[in-house]
Amino acid sequence: MSVLRLILGDQLSTSLSSLRDYQPGDTLLMCELKQETQCVRHHKKKLVFVLSAMRHFSRALQDWGFSVRYFTLDDALTSFTEAVHCALQENTYSRVVVTHPGEWRVLAELKTLQQQLTMPLEIREDDRFLCTQQAFAHWAEGKKQLRMEFFYREMRKRYSILMEGKQPVGGQWNYDSQNRKSLPDDIQPPEPCQFKPDTITQEVMALVDQHFPHNFGSTQGFSYGIDQTQAEKVLSTFIEQRLGLFGDYQDAMKTNQPWLFHSHLGLYLNIGLLTPLQVIQQAETAYRKGAIPLNAAEGFIRQVLGWREYVRGIYWLKMPDYAKLNTLHATRHLPDFYWHGETKMHCLSECVNNTRDNAYAHHIQRLMVLGNFSLLAGINPSEVSRWFLEVYADAYE
Ligand SMILES: Cc1cc2nc3c(=O)[nH]c(=O)nc-3n(C[C@H](O)[C@H](O)[C@H](O)COP(=O)(O)OP(=O)(O)OC[C@H]3O[C@@H](n4cnc5c(N)ncnc54)[C@H](O)[C@@H]3O)c2cc1C
């Protein structure tokens, strides 16, 4: 009997576990939901990126011979539950399959749906991540402190990344102390990869302007990649042009330099157009070929194999209470200048303006300026979290 396979908006990967045993007669279900786009008022460029990437992925799946049922915003569906019920009315299926969602709220909805349906709903592991929830919980068990550095070393060993036998390449696990240079005036970072919006993206830009006129930022100037080929182009260009100096200038900030030597890969990793292992392996290969130094390769790989997996592990270990924590009892509201950037504090103004223009700010702007100011000013963490979730193209809870 046929299977209904629900693909969520950040699951645009051909290697997805829910696609793996697809048979002719099965249907892939994708849906643009008002609920998902309105529960927080996302940056307009983020909405263009997600909706255009979904539409391109759906088209690619159909070109490869998959049968896809795609609901657009105009179908006005309010939830994944409603989309599944609609699809089940259109055809007969024996079960529903989905890959584990990235957000607690969506998992809760799927579990409720599981109870309602008269057929099985199978939630499969999201094995695009390199550490399962169970493996992370096992690592965390009984530890007084959950230090990223120790988790990262375990991951290096488990995947044999930058290792010589049982030892780290170069004799050290971490080269962070070499990665703190400020950017000299005579070094100009390369321009970021840019892509001209095609017809689908232009349609989505018009749709976003029409449906979300009051959201942050503008659709104008949208130039992110929106499919796997373009995401891979961003990756290969990063490896060739930026990765060599990623380590040296990882902690730098400079006026009028929003992109520096960062990878700009977060949005593609998080939506599924690139996989973390693919990105890590290409960085390691560049190092093994002698094209980039070790402090660059290790510094970059630590972000993806270490921090990215660790943050996700903590999320599933501690949710749902984690989202409500406010240990320092911080109660101030988020200042208005987080939206308009008008403040005499130059670094904050620069970070907010970059964010509004690009739906992107690099890590040091997010951590040392925007995050640190919120901490020092005692701003309510749930307001801060919500702002971060709304404004960045790579942001999911
Ligand atoms: C307050 C705050 C909010 C953030 N919000 C998000 C978010 O919503 N989504 C998100 O993916 N990242 C977030 N980050 C982490 C990091 O800042 C972004 O991943 C990064 O800036 C994305 O740009 P890039 O792809 O150029 O990253 P690069 O600097 O090139 O880093 C390479 C990759 O490593 C991973 N990475 C780097 N640092 C981290 C980190 N601390 N945690 C997790 N992964 C990391 C990302 O996948 C990133 O693409 C946040 C950091 C801070 C301090």
Side-chain angles (χ1 to χ4, degrees):
M1 281 272 271
S2 310
V3 179
L4 181 65
R5 297 168 190 273
L6 173 62
I7 316 251
L8 306 177
D10 58 355
Q11 298 185 341
L12 312 186
S13 312
T14 46
S15 62
L16 199 69
S17 58
S18 58
L19 283 177
R20 231 158 260 168
D21 48 352
Y22 178 94
Q23 298 284 333
D26 293 355
T27 303
L28 308 182
L29 171 62
M30 295 181 71
C31 34
E32 298 171 0
L33 296 179
K34 273 251 161 172
Q35 169 200 302
E36 292 302 302
T37 45
Q38 279 182 338
C39 62
V40 286
R41 292 173 61 227
H42 298 288
H43 193 298
K44 287 181 192 165
K45 285 196 173 74
K46 176 183 192 177
L47 288 172
V48 173
F49 171 66
V50 173
L51 295 175
S52 178
M54 285 177 69
R55 290 182 180 197
H56 281 88
F57 189 66
S58 144
R59 183 169 285 197
L61 289 168
Q62 290 173 66
D63 290 346
W64 293 322
F66 291 95
S67 160
V68 181
R69 176 70 172 101
Y70 193 98
F71 290 106
T72 67
L73 275 186
D74 291 332
D75 291 308
L77 296 189
T78 55
S79 64
F80 294 115
T81 305
E82 193 183 354
V84 168
H85 282 302
C86 280
L88 291 178
Q89 276 171 9
E90 292 172 357
N91 216 331
T92 312
Y93 299 99
S94 60
R95 65 199 164 101
V96 181
V97 169
V98 63
T99 291
H100 197 290
E103 295 196 3
W104 181 271
R105 178 181 51 83
V106 179
L107 181 65
E109 184 187 335
L110 292 175
K111 286 192 169 162
T112 306
L113 179 61
Q114 223 167 15
Q115 310 292 323
Q116 293 169 358
L117 292 178
T118 52
M119 66 186 68
L121 188 161
E122 185 190 339
I123 302 176
R124 292 185 179 170
E125 184 78 48
D126 187 350
D127 52 18
R128 298 171 303 168
F129 285 95
L130 301 171
C131 184
T132 63
Q133 290 176 36
Q134 291 73 13
F136 191 87
H138 181 68
W139 171 78
E141 204 176 338
K143 286 195 172 55
K144 276 196 188 151
Q145 270 196 327
L146 302 180
R147 290 280 295 274
M148 196 295 292
E149 178 63 25
F150 298 128
F151 168 75
Y152 165 58
R153 291 180 191 180
E154 291 299 316
M155 293 295 283
R156 289 265 298 271
K157 287 186 236 168
R158 197 180 303 163
Y159 281 90
S160 197
I161 303 289
L162 292 180
M163 299 294 292
E164 300 290 9
K166 293 191 171 159
Q167 296 305 316
V169 166
Q172 261 175 254
W173 288 102
N174 185 316
Y175 290 84
D176 207 25
S177 59
Q178 295 178 24
N179 290 358
R180 293 176 190 160
K181 295 189 182 134
S182 49
L183 187 72
D185 287 339
D186 58 348
I187 294 194
Q188 180 64 28
E191 284 296 309
C193 272
Q194 295 189 326
F195 303 91
K196 203 164 166 254
D198 65 3
T199 314
I200 294 179
T201 302
Q202 285 172 23
E203 278 167 17
V204 172
M205 287 163 74
L207 188 84
V208 168
D209 283 333
Q210 181 198 337
H211 283 264
F212 309 98
H214 303 301
N215 285 33
F216 191 47
S218 159
T219 57
Q220 291 313 303
F222 179 89
S223 59
Y224 288 124
I226 37 63
D227 62 15
Q228 195 178 326
T229 308
Q230 292 183 343
E232 284 171 357
K233 174 78 182 155
V234 180
L235 172 59
S236 60
T237 309
F238 166 66
I239 304 269
E240 283 159 25
Q241 298 183 0
R242 310 182 102 85
L243 178 55
L245 290 177
F246 175 92
D248 283 4
Y249 303 118
Q250 191 178 352
D251 282 4
M253 277 193 286
K254 195 149 189 147
T255 299
N256 296 327
Q257 292 290 354
W259 308 101
L260 292 174
F261 288 91
H262 292 275
S263 69
H264 325 136
L265 293 175
L267 72 171
Y268 306 113
L269 283 165
N270 293 352
I271 206 165
L273 293 176
L274 297 173
T275 67
L277 200 55
Q278 165 189 29
V279 165
I280 290 166
Q281 284 171 340
Q282 289 201 27
E284 175 163 18
T285 303
Y287 165 70
R288 299 268 182 199
K289 283 200 300 204
I292 57 161
L294 183 53
N295 72 313
E298 189 283 317
F300 176 72
I301 286 173
R302 180 164 14 97
Q303 309 310 315
V304 184
L305 184 63
W307 279 112
R308 187 172 187 271
E309 296 290 328
Y310 173 84
V311 169
R312 191 238 184 190
I314 294 279
Y315 177 84
W316 286 107
L317 191 70
K318 308 244 178 198
M319 281 296 280
D321 298 338
Y322 200 48
K324 294 177 213 130
L325 284 183
N326 187 354
T327 309
L328 299 177
H329 308 292
T331 51
R332 275 207 186 123
H333 290 303
L334 193 78
D336 282 349
F337 66 71
Y338 270 69
W339 297 110
H340 53 62
E342 286 161 30
T343 159
K344 286 181 182 161
M345 292 177 279
H346 174 71
C347 53
L348 274 160
S349 165
E350 178 86 354
C351 292
V352 170
N353 291 338
N354 290 169
T355 302
R356 190 196 47 233
D357 291 348
N358 304 319
Y360 176 84
H362 62 72
H363 182 66
I364 299 305
Q365 294 177 307
R366 297 188 205 196
L367 178 66
M368 299 296 191
V369 181
L370 296 157
N372 202 20
F373 181 85
S374 312
L375 175 71
L376 296 173
I379 300 168
N380 186 322
S382 56
E383 289 192 29
V384 178
S385 289
R386 191 184 167 99
W387 184 84
F388 275 101
L389 182 59
E390 289 189 1
V391 302
Y392 293 116
D394 53 54
Y396 300 86
E397 188 178 77

